[in-house]
Amino acid sequence: MNPQLLTPGLAILLALLALPVRAELVLGVHPEEPAPSIARLLAGLTADEQAIRVRPFESGEHLSVALQAGEIDLGILEDPGQPLPGVSLVADLYPSVLHVLYRGGETPNDLGELLARGPIWAGPPGSTGHRLVRELARDYGLGDADVRLLDNALSSEPDSYFIFGGILAPDAISRLPGFRLYSLDAPRRLMLGSVAEGIALRYPSLRPFVLPAQLYPPLGDQAALTLSVTTLLAARESLPRDTVYELAMALDGLRPQLAAVYPLAGVRRPVVSMEAAQALPLHEGARRYQDRDLPGFLERYAEVLALGTTVMLATGTILATVRRQRKQSRKDRLDTFYQRLLTLRNELAQPDSNAVDIAHRVRDAQSEVMTLVIGERIDADGSLMAFLTLSNRLLEEAEGPA
């Protein structure tokens, strides 16, 4: 056997073996809680007979890059506020609330004063809080020299915090002696042009959120108007829609457990606003699951189809009736010529009849009938044939043998 013939087949086999085969779905997660805890719950799910393996990342930015590159199948990441190439939305997971805390003393007059007050810990570089502080500083016209944003919480003791997360635990509150909860604006100004709404307008991934009064008595007894960002379960766009459908279905059944681990996971926005509220497009599989209970085409348009069918049947019945009446009218006119032939035949039977006149009148009747056939489109059916046969026989009787 020629060895050269084996070369193409061997090359194809090696290429197939080199293709990545995933017997499991890889879920990327950043280190900020509650993402790791939520990821452990998701790891117990299966979708399309594939288990889920959790892969930790140093930050949300690294996770986002890996998801866009298709290195992982799924990712827990905060709403990016802008589309990510090759990434689609599976479902909302939970909101993270911004806690703005400042060291006790005189309350800052506005955010600009608070930002320039002293060292700020807003989470690791690349986190939503870190980016928000930098962007707010720019909006207030503050430079790097005016705002001291810490890259490490241990490098220096912060004078204020801008941290996205869940409801603070008592242990966390106990480690914040001397700190007060800062409200971006008076909660009563919500939907009346508050500062929180202005920030959310500039940064669409953020939404106003009110922390109730007495939620953290050591940090203040007044309600605080702040912001929240939604953490999403995202998927690479090329993930099969059946897999995403099963994943969305399994996740829906996991909601009570998510809320038990992270109470804010029970706060869900209306599904109908999901696509409009977020930059990531809804994955086709997730859309199919979301629309599973919507009525089908026949259910949606049953009344229209029934009305159309009724109109068509009524129209057909009317047209058939009109056509039948017209045909009957034409037949009735033809019957008058039958009567004339019978009258002429009776006259021909009289001893003193004028056969030549009768023959002439029969030919006149034939001419009129043919005019009706052509002008009024009388069908050349058996009735017409019978008339012509009868009239010709009457002619033969009137004219006699040639």
Side-chain angles (χ1 to χ4, degrees), residues 6 32 68 70 154 163 165 192 262 291 299 344 386 388 396:
L6 297 177
E32 298 177 46
Q68 293 179 67
L154 302 178
I163 298 295
L192 294 175
Y262 183 73
D291 298 342
E299 295 174 297
L344 291 174
L388 293 177
E396 291 176 1

Side-chain angles (χ1 to χ4, degrees), residues 100-330:
V100 181
L101 304 168
Y102 66 96
R103 197 175 293 278
E106 186 178 351
T107 303
N109 293 318
D110 56 31
L111 268 176
E113 181 180 331
L114 178 60
L115 291 170
R117 198 167 192 176
I120 300 173
W121 170 243
S127 66
T128 301
H130 198 276
R131 293 197 309 269
L132 177 63
V133 169
R134 287 196 176 279
E135 290 164 354
L136 288 175
R138 180 198 61 197
D139 294 340
Y140 279 90
L142 302 173
D144 293 340
D146 302 313
V147 178
R148 185 182 173 190
L149 188 56
L150 302 175
D151 291 336
N152 188 326
L154 302 178
S155 61
S156 177
E157 185 176 2
D159 280 343
S160 56
Y161 290 90
F162 282 72
I163 298 295
F164 281 92
I167 302 302
L168 298 179
D171 180 63
I173 297 174
S174 67
R175 294 196 299 268
L176 295 169
F179 278 87
R180 304 287 292 175
L181 185 64
Y182 179 79
S183 180
L184 300 181
D185 208 333
R188 65 177 180 276
R189 286 184 49 80
L190 186 61
M191 305 304 296
L192 294 175
S194 65
V195 173
E197 292 169 87
I199 296 174
L201 190 63
R202 290 181 60 86
Y203 308 103
S205 63
L206 303 177
R207 292 167 182 81
F209 193 96
V210 176
L211 292 170
Q214 300 291 334
L215 179 62
Y216 308 123
L219 302 179
D221 56 0
Q222 300 296 317
L225 179 59
T226 183
L227 300 164
S228 70
V229 62
T230 303
T231 296
L232 316 170
L233 178 62
R236 56 181 173 87
E237 200 170 35
S238 57
L239 199 62
R241 64 180 183 180
D242 290 342
T243 301
V244 176
Y245 181 95
E246 292 187 13
L247 181 63
M249 179 171 60
L251 179 60
D252 207 22
L254 193 66
R255 291 286 177 182
Q257 298 180 52
L258 294 179
V261 171
Y262 183 73
L264 287 179
V267 180
R268 301 178 62 188
R269 294 202 309 274
V271 175
V272 292
S273 68
M274 180 185 298
E275 188 174 5
Q278 286 149 344
L280 296 183
L282 197 60
H283 193 285
E284 181 61 27
R287 185 186 302 279
R288 284 181 54 200
Y289 179 74
Q290 176 182 305
D291 298 342
R292 67 194 182 283
D293 294 328
L294 293 180
F297 177 82
L298 292 179
E299 295 174 297
R300 291 198 305 270
Y301 298 103
E303 294 184 1
V304 176
L305 293 175
L307 177 62
T309 302
T310 302
V311 171
M312 289 177 62
L313 290 175
T315 302
T317 302
I318 292 172
L319 292 176
T321 301
V322 171
R323 184 181 180 193
R324 185 166 59 252
Q325 290 177 346
R326 292 184 63 184
K327 290 182 67 176
Q328 184 62 41
S329 175
R330 292 168 181 170

Side-chain angles (χ1 to χ4, degrees), residues 327-344:
K327 290 182 67 176
Q328 184 62 41
S329 175
R330 292 168 181 170
K331 183 179 181 301
D332 292 342
R333 296 192 63 182
L334 193 58
D335 288 345
T336 61
F337 290 96
Y338 272 112
Q339 187 63 41
R340 285 170 62 179
L341 289 180
L342 293 176
T343 301
L344 291 174

